[in-house]
Amino acid sequence: QLQLVESGGGLVQPGGSLRLSCKASGFGVERYKLGWARQAPGKEREGVGCISSSDGNIYYANSVKGRFTISKDNANNIVFLQMNSLEPQDTATYFCVADRLYCSGSGSNYDYWGQGTQVTVSS
């Protein structure tokens, strides 16, 4: 069983930045692909991006390309989501996600989900 614990959400003004962190733990955690998804009120969950454990490739949703960056601390199994140039439409609950095989920029079909952290972009 994999555990995912997010931190770093909050309230930020449009144009601002936030960095989310996710600590992953559990047996074989190093073999999992880790990423981020989000869900805005009244909308379905959508992928934000993912980093593949096997080849290090990173995938992003088109809506966040050039603004969000995913990185990973392999030694400590922590994945980060650096969010810059935030827009009101980025307001959502952000989830850390993981899967042995699945890794998508915009999809959200992951086996494991964290509890979520709220990001609100508002002036």
Side-chain angles (χ1 to χ4, degrees), residues 1-121:
Q1 191 75 7
L2 206 63
Q3 293 81 44
L4 305 170
V5 180
E6 306 99 334
S7 61
L11 173 64
V12 62
Q13 292 187 344
S17 298
L18 275 178
R19 188 173 86 151
L20 306 183
S21 301
C22 171
K23 170 66 176 176
S25 59
F27 181 76
V29 61
E30 66 280 358
R31 296 194 293 270
Y32 282 77
K33 304 175 192 299
L34 298 175
W36 295 90
R38 66 186 182 184
Q39 186 169 25
K43 295 189 177 181
E44 293 189 355
R45 289 179 174 180
E46 62 176 0
V48 173
C50 175
I51 180 167
S52 174
S53 57
S54 58
D55 55 19
N57 286 339
I58 306 176
Y59 307 92
Y60 295 100
N62 287 334
S63 58
V64 306
K65 276 182 183 176
R67 300 188 299 123
F68 290 12
T69 302
I70 292 175
S71 60
K72 188 182 174 193
D73 176 350
N74 287 314
N76 296 295
N77 294 309
I78 300 174
V79 63
F80 302 98
L81 178 65
Q82 177 66 45
M83 304 184 290
N84 298 329
S85 302
L86 282 161
E87 304 167 352
Q89 51 265 39
D90 294 316
T91 295
T93 300
Y94 283 72
F95 298 91
C96 182
V97 293
D99 198 278
R100 281 295 309 276
L101 299 176
Y102 184 81
C103 188
S104 170
S106 58
S108 59
N109 195 27
Y110 295 92
D111 281 343
Y112 295 94
W113 292 70
Q115 82 284 358
T117 186
Q118 179 66 35
V119 172
T120 302
V121 185

